[in-house]
């Protein structure tokens, strides 16, 4: 299976017992709104999202993304070290390559030889916040 076909495979699947029931909690809605604002080719860390919202922290944002993030561009909310989402590396990599997200190629000694996100170049600070978010 190619990286391109993996990118089209859809959002990460979660076990049924973790699927949300009913309406989204207000905090989850806000986290997902931020994820949708991140431009293609750019990323925010879990901590960046929490800071942008002025509420919660990286773990809370990560939990929201794990439970509810499938319908939004989940691959744009990442770990601060640029390591790709475990278990979804190839799917995320397909999205990053399609969007032109800056990557750092993995060294030969790196496990699986999967690149990381180049955080210095890819990180988005939410600079368009006032224009795109009310």
């Amino acid at each position: 299976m190619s990286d391109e076909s993996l990118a089209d495979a859809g959002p990460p699947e979660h076990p049924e017992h973790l699927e949300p029931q009913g309406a989204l909690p207000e905090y989850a809605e806000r986290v997902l709104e931020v994820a949708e604002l991140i431009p293609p080719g750019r990323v925010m860390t879990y901590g960046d999202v929490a800071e942008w919202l002025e509420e919660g922290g990286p773990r809370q944002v990560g939990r929201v993304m794990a439970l509810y993030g499938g319908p939004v561009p989940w691959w744009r909310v990442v770990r601060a070290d640029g390591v790709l989402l475990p278990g979804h590396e190839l799917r995320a990599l397909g999205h990053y390559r399609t969007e032109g997200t800056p990557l750092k190629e993995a060294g030969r000694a790196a496990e699986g030889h999967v690149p990381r996100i180049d955080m210095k170049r890819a990180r988005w600070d939410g600079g368009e916040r006032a224009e795109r978010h009310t």
Side-chain angles (χ1 to χ4, degrees), residues 51-71:
E51 185 177 320
W52 200 83
L53 291 172
E54 298 177 342
E55 183 179 354
R59 289 178 186 250
Q60 289 81 8
V61 171
R63 182 75 173 154
V64 167
M65 294 304 295
L67 292 176
Y68 307 105

Side-chain angles (χ1 to χ4, degrees), residues 55-102:
E55 183 179 354
R59 289 178 186 250
Q60 289 81 8
V61 171
R63 182 75 173 154
V64 167
M65 294 304 295
L67 292 176
Y68 307 105
V72 301
W74 52 267
W75 59 92
R76 296 183 193 150
V77 181
V78 301
R79 291 173 36 161
D81 62 5
V83 171
L84 307 190
L85 182 64
H88 302 286
E89 296 94 335
L90 294 179
R91 291 171 62 199
L93 189 57
H95 288 292
Y96 298 138
R97 288 185 172 151
T98 298
E99 295 182 356
T101 306

